[in-house]
Amino acid sequence: MTLHTPAGSLPHLDSGTAGDGAPVVLLHGFGGDAAGWSLVQAPLAAHRRTLAFDLPGHGRALDWPEIGGAGIAARAVRASLDALGLEKVHLVGHSMGGATAVLVALKAPERIASLTLLAPGGFGFEINHRLLRRYAAATDAGELEMLLEQFFGWEFDLPPFVARQAAEARARPGARDALVTIVEHLIDGKTQKVLPRDALAGLEVPVKIIWGTQDRVLPTRQSHKLPGEVATHVFERVGHMPHLEIPEAVCRLIREQMAHG
């Protein structure tokens, strides 16, 4: 994978070849970065060009001119698609990145070949606001490890380096403050801001939702009662991070989307 930071675009990891078919664009969740898609991006790149963006205030986009919630991230993604000359993409988003992907799709549906959302934000009022606020403010590797464990299913063994890398990222000037700012954009008091979920039915592209029954950040029931046009895939014994817990299954579902263009 190659890191690219072209003018006007979010920094991103680019992999695969630009052959037939729309490329895949991956949008990470709150507190993550482009590298968090490695278990998904590498297999997908064998079939299609893939780009994993750092969203504003995260990773190498820490100094993006505007930092905030999913709306700000969506504007940055659309500007990046313009700067990169990407007319149509398969858009994949996790958590906050999922909410961002929905906003991009609703604003510019002609640019979307398919939409795949992993435990997306904005699908209901309930959110583990205490966990996210503590995670945003934490800097110690030990505290981060305890917090990160809650993002995964109960049986998942969190690799020790994950917390160390998170602590190293927080040590950069402005990194912690950026996350604290972003989390307050995502949460309104003790609830999260809600997207127009029913509008997904109007998108003339395949839409998939992927969720885990052990999600302790956003409850799985937010995947219930979606429009019938939306394909919902719920996995037992999986937490809030399906792209890290069950990457093979996630890749398979995204490849199904890629068959549409």
Side-chain angles (χ1 to χ4, degrees), residues 21-23 85-90 109-113 205:
L86 300 177
E87 295 182 1
K88 183 165 285 193
V89 299
H90 294 281
E110 73 282 356
R111 307 190 76 157
I112 307 302
V205 299

Side-chain angles (χ1 to χ4, degrees), residues 3-254:
L3 172 65
H4 292 270
T5 55
S9 169
L10 291 163
H12 58 275
L13 295 173
D14 199 332
S15 186
T17 58
D20 293 336
V24 179
V25 170
L26 305 163
L27 308 178
H28 64 77
F30 171 69
D33 59 28
W37 287 107
S38 60
L39 297 181
V40 169
Q41 186 173 13
L44 292 180
H47 305 275
R48 196 74 59 91
R49 182 186 179 192
T50 67
L51 303 92
F53 286 175
D54 280 332
L55 295 178
H58 297 79
R60 290 160 292 269
L62 181 59
D63 59 351
W64 191 259
E66 189 178 16
I67 292 174
I72 289 172
R75 289 196 292 273
V77 170
R78 294 201 309 272
S80 299
L81 297 181
D82 290 340
L84 297 170
L86 300 177
E87 295 182 1
K88 183 165 285 193
V89 299
H90 294 281
L91 199 54
V92 180
H94 167 245
S95 197
M96 171 187 163
T100 300
V102 170
L103 293 174
V104 173
L106 294 179
K107 185 71 174 180
E110 73 282 356
R111 307 190 76 157
I112 307 302
S114 73
L115 189 62
T116 306
L117 309 173
L118 286 63
F123 274 50
F125 290 105
E126 298 158 295
I127 188 170
N128 193 338
H129 63 94
R130 293 182 180 87
L131 172 61
L132 292 182
R133 284 182 166 121
R134 289 168 183 162
Y135 176 63
T139 57
D140 175 74
E143 183 181 5
L144 281 166
E145 181 176 9
M146 289 188 291
L147 294 169
L148 282 165
E149 285 176 345
Q150 298 181 60
F151 285 79
F152 294 85
W154 296 313
E155 299 168 73
F156 186 83
D157 293 322
L158 182 71
F161 72 86
V162 173
R164 290 200 302 270
Q165 288 181 344
E168 290 169 3
R170 303 294 174 88
R172 292 178 299 156
R176 176 187 175 279
D177 290 343
L179 293 181
V180 170
T181 296
I182 293 168
V183 79
E184 294 307 326
H185 277 259
L186 299 175
I187 300 172
D188 183 10
K190 295 182 179 180
T191 62
Q192 69 170 332
K193 300 169 185 177
V194 179
L195 297 168
R197 304 188 320 166
D198 291 344
L200 293 174
L203 295 175
E204 297 182 358
V205 299
V207 180
K208 287 185 184 291
I209 307 289
I210 300 171
W211 226 300
T213 59
Q214 294 181 359
D215 194 324
R216 289 178 274 178
V217 179
L218 299 169
T220 313
R221 59 180 167 271
Q222 291 180 4
S223 68
H224 302 168
K225 298 182 180 179
L226 291 173
E229 293 85 351
V230 176
T232 304
H233 304 266
V234 177
F235 289 87
E236 293 288 341
R237 303 165 81 170
V238 172
H240 187 64
M241 311 291 279
H243 56 302
L244 296 176
E245 298 177 69
I246 50 167
E248 297 86 358
V250 170
C251 285
R252 183 176 68 252
L253 293 171
I254 295 172

